[in-house]
């Protein structure tokens, strides 16, 4: 039984329901427009587009997973890309085993990169991945287990806020370094690609691509309802109390670390599913998926779409990625400006100060990436770079605080308060 | 003194002995001893920085003392437990700064505090029973917030937040209530109402109230402990402690 303002409830339901209806319609319409509308018609949706849309749905699922932990429990994970990537790698391992003897080297057991490395037998951790059921189980278990171990250590020792965010960045960074190593057994730099079959069907075929698109949509809708159930249960309110006043929740007798661990693991599993659905559609998985900047981008999607609303995260994931692909395709030099523009607008409407911090982090990362590549050989330069990064990161956090400070000052004027109130009220609905 | 809801064999519901806590060499709590009987209402007064809130932090498991005994119901050693454990054992707390969940409604705040299982699965599948529903309504009436049931806590006045927090404390059904400066930011009328409310609560619970407002303490009409520089300076009736020369000096010398 929920007891909250009727108006709020209606507003809330309508946004989410509208979005889910649109998604459901898309799941039905897109395949029809692809299969039954002649290619000459402007209504025809090419298979290529179906796959692109399918990938956006996976991103949206990842954003939804992040919103569950960040929007409702206040855990700003800057490492959700790692769970996405692990789910993707688990799927990739299955797909690699499906290739069988059709690889370049024709080895029936070993994937090409292992033959190339002169390996004679399959490493033990590859066992079982030829079995689809086992692999799908791993899609859930591997990210879930990592989240469990990481969360157990971090939440029990009460690491919160910025420190936790930095740890999650470190987590994904460390994993990226590990997966880059050839000897780690996951194809190093190149990752996995050239997939052939998935569950007995040709990955490249139109039917498979449509099936993957539909599956992505269905999982997204299912995950939305699951998250909705969690956030609207009493647990959802416990999560909000942890987000807003962690010590209050403790003094009420709630074991904060158990709640955090539960949503964190659930969220990591959803991210893993997103990654697993993404990989056969993208046709490749490699360590770039672990890049720290990717995880920060996910935060941006959620922040822009509206944190703590679930549907907002989905919209953010879809819209930002669509916009990004449009601009990086049409006028790549414009993308950063556009993103900046979106930021300025959303900062005005945002209810949390984190956005400014995210912008600066992204700038920091954007500078960091090419520089790191250019001088990765030189250790001293690397130290220098680390300092630059640290300065940028801390200034990001500083601005984050500053924004909060400024907000409370400006909030004295009525119009700003009103502006701020609207999204905040939505957030409070759970 | 009437003992209502504790078994007769318990001597002290809370017992502190020789408790010391330093922050960077500064002794916020210094060899503090305190004994609260089951069912007792006790007021704790003392100048700012006397260590009153720190004492509550120690009892509720937020801060671990450097040394000394902290016992609940004679034989439970509270220093070995954390906040959630202690809360579930039956010690509830109202903070000095009102701490309610701002983005939840009055009703949801009370629902959150409602006594019951705090385990993850239970809360995920929790359904409110009719009796619990009525209990929330009852508390809402008690704290005078029935009309505000769907108002977000952040839109309440300071005094209303204080009351909501007291309501959350009551609905938690603790055996001991620690109430830190409940009258802060309240009008005179609200202050007296709060004293009345706490007096009513103390009929069924042990209550420790920290407060500066002397009229408020007088209205509580109970034993008073004066804290100064982390230890007990005087203890007794309000009239007795307020005629104590040392107490007068401490208060006038501020
Ligand atoms: N976590 C802490 N770290 C450092 N000093 C503290 C901490 N908590 C309390 N203190 C210090 O201990 C003293 C007692 O504080 P407090 O218990 O809040 O006093 P009261 O509630 O009686 O006004 C103060 O001087 C305060 O600055
Ligand atoms: Mg205090």
């Amino acid at each position: 039984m929920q007891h909250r303002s009727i108006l709020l409830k209606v507003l809330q339901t309508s946004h989410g329901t509208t979005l889910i209806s649109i998604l459901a319609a898309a799941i039905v319409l897109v395949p029809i427009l692809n299969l039954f509308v002649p290619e000459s018609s402007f209504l025809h949706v090419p298979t290529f587009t179906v796959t692109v849309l399918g990938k956006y749905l996976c991103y949206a699922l990842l954003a939804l997973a992040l919103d569950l932990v960040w929007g409702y429990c206040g855990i700003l994970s800057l490492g959700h890309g790692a769970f996405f990537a692990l789910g993707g790698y688990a799927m990739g391992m299955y797909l690699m085993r499906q290739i069988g003897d059709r690889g370049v080297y024709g080895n029936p057991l070993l994937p090409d990169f292992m033959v190339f490395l002169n390996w004679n037998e399959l490493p033990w951790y590859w066992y079982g991945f030829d079995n689809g059921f086992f692999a799908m189980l791993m899609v859930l278990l591997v990210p879930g287990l990592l989240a469990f171990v990481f969360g157990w250590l971090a939440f029990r020792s009460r690491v919160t806020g910025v420190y936790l965010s930095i740890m999650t960045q470190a987590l994904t960074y460390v994993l990226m370094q590990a997966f880059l190593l050839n000897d780690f057994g996951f194809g190093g730099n190149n990752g996995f690609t050239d997939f052939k079959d998935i569950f007995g069907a040709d990955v490249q075929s139109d039917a498979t691509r449509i099936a993957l698109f539909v599956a992505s949509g269905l999982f997204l809708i299912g995950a939305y309802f699951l998250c909705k159930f969690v956030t609207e249960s009493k647990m959802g309110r416990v999560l909000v109390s942890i987000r807003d006043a962690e010590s209050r929740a403790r003094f009420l007798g709630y074991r904060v670390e158990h709640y955090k661990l539960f949503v964190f693991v659930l969220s990591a599993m959803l991210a893993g599913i997103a990654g697993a659905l993404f990989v056969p559609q993208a046709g490749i998985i490699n360590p770039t998926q672990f890049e720290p900047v990717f995880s920060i981008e996910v935060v941006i999607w959620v922040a822009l779409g509206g944190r703590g609303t679930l549907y907002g995260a989905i919209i953010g994931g879809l819209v930002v990625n669509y916009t990004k692909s449009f601009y990086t395709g049409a006028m790549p030099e414009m993308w950063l400006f556009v993103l900046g523009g979106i930021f300025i607008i959303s900062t005005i409407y945002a209810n949390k100060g984190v956005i400014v911090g995210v912008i600066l982090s992204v700038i920091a990362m954007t500078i960091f990436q090419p520089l790191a590549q250019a001088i990765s050989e030189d250790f001293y330069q690397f130290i220098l770079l680390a300092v630059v990064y640290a300065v940028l990161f801390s200034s990001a956090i500083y601005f984050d605080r500053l924004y909060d400070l400024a907000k409370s000052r400006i909030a004295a004027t009525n119009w700003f308060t009103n502006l701020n109130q609207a999204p905040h009220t939505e957030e409070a609905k759970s | 003194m009437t003992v209502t809801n504790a078994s007769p064999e318990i001597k002290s519901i809370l017992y502190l002995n020789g408790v010391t806590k330093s922050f960077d060499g500064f002794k916020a709590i210094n060899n503090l001893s305190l004994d609260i009987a089951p069912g007792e209402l006790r007021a704790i007064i003392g100048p700012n920085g006397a260590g009153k809130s720190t004492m509550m932090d120690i009892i509720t498991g937020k801060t671990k003392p450097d040394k000394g005994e902290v016992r609940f119901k004679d034989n439970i050693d509270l220093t070995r437990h954390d906040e959630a454990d202690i809360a579930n054992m039956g010690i509830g707390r109202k903070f000095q700064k009102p701490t309610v969940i701002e983005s939840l409604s009055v009703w949801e705040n009370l629902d959150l505090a409602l006594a019951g299982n705090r385990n993850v699965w239970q809360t995920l599948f929790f359904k409110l029973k009719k009796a619990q529903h009525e209990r929330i309504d009852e508390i809402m009436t008690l704290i005078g917030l029935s009309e505000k049931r769907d108002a977000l806590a952040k839109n309440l006045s300071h005094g209303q937040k204080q009351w909501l927090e007291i309501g959350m404390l009551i609905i938690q059904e603790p055996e001991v209530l620690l109430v830190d400066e409940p009258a802060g930011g309240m009008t005179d009328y609200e202050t007296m109402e709060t004293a009345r409310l706490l007096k009513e609560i103390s009929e069924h619970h042990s209550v420790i109230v920290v407060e500066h407002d002397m009229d408020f303490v007088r209205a509580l009409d109970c034993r008073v402990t004066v804290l100064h520089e982390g230890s007990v300076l005087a203890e007794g009736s309000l009239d007795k402690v307020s005629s104590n020369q040392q107490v007068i000096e401490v208060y006038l010398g501020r």
Side-chain angles (χ1 to χ4, degrees):
Chain A
M1 214 179 306
Q2 307 292 324
H3 295 265
R4 61 178 69 115
S5 116
I6 306 280
L7 182 69
L8 246 175
K9 196 164 180 186
V10 171
L11 272 176
Q12 202 62 44
T13 332
S14 73
H15 281 177
T17 316
T18 313
L19 177 70
I20 293 304
S21 315
I22 294 172
L23 283 177
I27 293 174
V28 177
L29 273 180
V30 169
I32 292 178
L33 295 181
N34 172 266
L35 294 171
F36 302 113
V37 175
E39 271 178 49
S40 52
S41 163
F42 79 101
L43 279 173
H44 176 80
V45 178
T47 309
F48 172 76
T49 310
V50 174
T51 299
V52 170
L53 292 176
K55 287 195 282 185
Y56 292 166
L57 291 175
C58 297
Y59 285 142
L61 178 52
L62 176 58
L64 179 71
L66 182 70
D67 194 28
L68 185 65
V69 287
W70 184 39
Y72 290 86
C73 199
I75 302 170
L76 176 54
S77 168
L78 297 179
H80 254 52
F83 303 125
F84 181 86
L86 287 174
Y89 265 95
M91 173 61 98
M93 286 163 84
Y94 165 74
L95 295 173
M96 289 304 274
R97 295 296 309 271
Q98 293 312 107
I99 296 174
D101 60 7
R102 287 170 292 174
V104 178
Y105 296 110
N107 187 312
L109 189 62
L110 299 185
D112 276 351
F113 74 89
M114 292 186 192
V115 181
F116 187 75
L117 290 173
N118 288 324
W119 290 10
N120 297 321
E121 50 188 299
L122 203 64
W124 61 268
Y125 47 82
W126 274 78
Y127 292 168
F129 275 94
D130 51 332
N131 179 312
F133 180 75
F134 176 83
M136 294 314 109
L137 203 63
M138 289 300 129
V139 162
L140 290 174
L141 287 187
V142 173
L145 194 69
L146 177 70
F148 184 85
V149 172
F150 179 89
W152 195 75
L153 293 172
F155 302 145
R156 230 174 51 108
S157 33
R158 303 200 179 174
V159 182
T160 54
V162 172
Y163 304 101
L164 186 71
S165 302
I166 292 173
M167 275 173 66
T168 55
Q169 277 269 283
L171 175 76
T172 192
Y173 184 76
V174 166
L175 282 169
M176 177 173 77
Q177 296 305 324
F179 276 81
L180 277 169
L181 299 173
N182 280 331
D183 291 336
F184 201 51
F186 297 96
N189 204 2
N190 300 318
F192 308 145
T193 190
D194 287 333
F195 307 131
K196 302 274 190 282
D197 296 341
I198 180 168
F199 299 116
D202 178 4
V203 200
Q204 306 289 347
S205 76
D206 283 8
T208 310
R209 303 213 150 240
I210 287 169
L212 284 167
F213 166 82
V214 172
S216 306
L218 291 178
F219 270 101
L220 178 59
I221 293 176
Y224 173 80
F225 283 114
L226 180 66
C227 293
K228 200 169 150 67
F229 173 75
V230 171
T231 56
E232 287 185 356
S233 72
K234 183 163 182 173
M235 179 193 264
R237 277 163 269 151
V238 176
L239 296 179
V240 168
S241 75
I242 292 172
R243 181 192 71 193
D244 288 358
E246 183 168 327
S247 65
R248 190 80 199 100
R250 284 187 205 279
F251 286 113
L252 284 174
Y254 291 103
R255 274 218 170 275
V256 167
E257 52 279 16
H258 291 186
Y259 285 87
K260 284 187 175 175
L261 201 54
F262 175 82
V263 274
F264 196 59
V265 170
L266 177 62
S267 169
M269 287 177 161
L270 292 178
I273 296 175
L277 287 162
F278 180 83
V279 166
Q281 302 187 76
I284 183 166
I285 172 83
N286 62 34
T288 56
Q289 216 58 251
F290 283 107
E291 269 179 13
V293 72
F294 174 62
S295 292
I296 293 184
E297 265 187 61
V298 185
V299 172
I300 301 175
W301 308 340
V302 178
L304 294 183
R307 175 190 168 197
T309 58
L310 298 182
Y311 64 83
I314 297 179
I315 296 172
L318 297 174
V319 171
V320 178
N321 279 297
Y322 172 75
T323 321
K324 182 179 178 176
S325 69
F326 175 77
Y327 278 100
T328 46
M331 25 186 170
E333 71 284 4
M334 283 301 289
W335 170 237
L336 275 180
F337 292 100
V338 173
L339 200 61
I342 302 174
F343 267 127
I344 291 165
I345 295 162
S346 58
T347 308
I348 296 172
Y349 287 96
N351 46 39
K352 291 274 177 271
V354 99
I355 292 217
V356 179
V358 170
I359 302 174
L360 285 168
S361 308
V362 170
I363 296 172
M365 286 298 188
T366 322
I367 297 168
F368 179 74
Q369 296 293 331
L371 277 182
Q373 275 160 12
I375 52 177
S376 61
E377 306 285 296
D378 193 325
F379 180 70
Y380 291 104
Q381 296 261 20
F382 182 79
I383 296 285
L384 187 73
L385 205 69
V387 172
V388 170
Y389 175 70
V391 168
L392 279 167
F393 198 93
S394 41
S395 58
I397 286 152
Y398 171 74
F399 276 104
D400 194 32
R401 296 266 162 76
L402 203 68
Y403 175 78
D404 263 344
L405 210 69
K407 200 179 58 180
S408 61
R409 296 278 152 76
I410 307 168
T413 65
N414 260 337
W415 69 272
F416 194 83
T417 317
N418 292 341
L419 215 61
N420 262 349
Q421 218 83 68
H424 218 115
T425 327
E426 280 181 3
E427 191 177 286
K429 57 101 206 192
S430 66
Chain B
M1 191 189 312
T2 47
V3 176
T4 39
N5 76 334
S7 41
E9 62 269 23
I10 293 176
K11 290 214 307 282
S12 316
I13 192 90
L14 270 179
Y15 175 76
L16 275 69
N17 186 23
V19 176
T20 298
K21 175 72 196 178
S22 310
F23 294 110
D24 306 320
F26 169 74
K27 284 190 175 166
I29 297 287
N30 188 5
N31 197 20
L32 173 70
S33 299
L34 192 72
D35 192 348
I36 310 289
E40 185 179 350
L41 169 62
R42 176 76 64 97
I44 305 217
I45 60 172
N48 269 328
K52 305 178 298 290
S53 298
T54 308
M55 181 195 79
M56 293 200 165
D57 286 346
I58 289 175
I59 296 171
T60 52
K62 188 179 176 208
T63 303
K64 296 282 168 235
D66 300 333
K67 60 175 198 261
E69 277 179 273
V70 186
R71 295 190 174 276
F72 176 52
K73 291 183 179 173
D74 296 339
N75 49 24
I76 300 172
D77 180 357
L78 290 180
T79 60
R80 291 162 173 274
H81 296 274
D82 69 3
E83 299 99 311
D85 261 353
I86 293 174
N88 287 321
M89 281 178 206
I91 300 182
R93 174 178 192 181
K94 195 203 99 41
F95 290 87
Q96 182 168 349
K97 177 177 172 286
T99 317
V100 291
I101 312 305
E102 303 256 315
S103 51
L104 294 181
S105 69
V106 167
W107 201 94
E108 287 170 329
N109 267 283
L110 291 169
D111 176 43
L112 199 66
L114 187 72
N117 202 315
R118 258 62 165 145
N119 145 331
V120 171
W121 289 110
Q122 301 273 347
T123 48
L124 189 56
F125 298 105
F126 182 78
K127 282 266 176 291
L128 203 64
K129 293 190 189 66
K130 191 157 178 289
Q132 293 173 312
H133 199 288
E134 285 164 1
R135 178 79 181 137
I136 296 179
D137 286 340
E138 192 185 313
I139 298 290
M140 232 158 17
T141 313
L142 181 72
I143 57 174
L145 291 176
S146 298
E147 252 120 78
K148 297 272 183 184
R149 75 151 35 213
D150 293 321
L152 294 184
K154 68 172 168 204
N155 296 330
L156 298 179
S157 73
H158 193 79
Q160 286 172 328
K161 281 185 192 172
Q162 299 270 40
W163 275 343
L164 176 56
E165 202 179 354
I166 294 173
M168 290 167 75
L169 201 54
I170 303 169
I171 208 166
Q172 219 180 316
E173 290 173 15
E175 291 185 51
V176 184
L177 286 83
L178 306 177
V179 191
D180 202 347
E181 305 203 13
M186 284 189 178
T187 62
D188 289 350
Y189 172 74
E190 287 173 331
T191 304
M192 285 304 128
E193 281 296 295
T194 308
R196 193 188 55 71
L197 181 61
L198 286 172
K199 200 110 187 99
E200 199 178 314
I201 295 166
S202 74
E203 284 166 20
H204 305 284
H205 307 265
S206 310
V207 181
I208 302 179
V209 190
V210 164
E211 191 47 71
H212 281 300
D213 189 314
M214 281 305 154
D215 293 331
F216 178 87
V217 176
R218 191 167 298 283
L220 289 180
D221 185 27
C222 67
R223 195 176 167 85
V224 177
T225 298
V226 185
L227 231 59
H228 178 54
E229 292 179 350
S231 36
V232 175
L233 187 67
E235 205 165 271
S237 69
L238 183 60
D239 290 332
K240 188 184 145 202
V241 299
S242 53
S243 59
N244 180 312
Q245 202 52 43
Q246 274 180 298
V247 174
I248 294 170
E249 273 167 29
V250 165
Y251 267 92
L252 294 181
R254 271 199 293 165

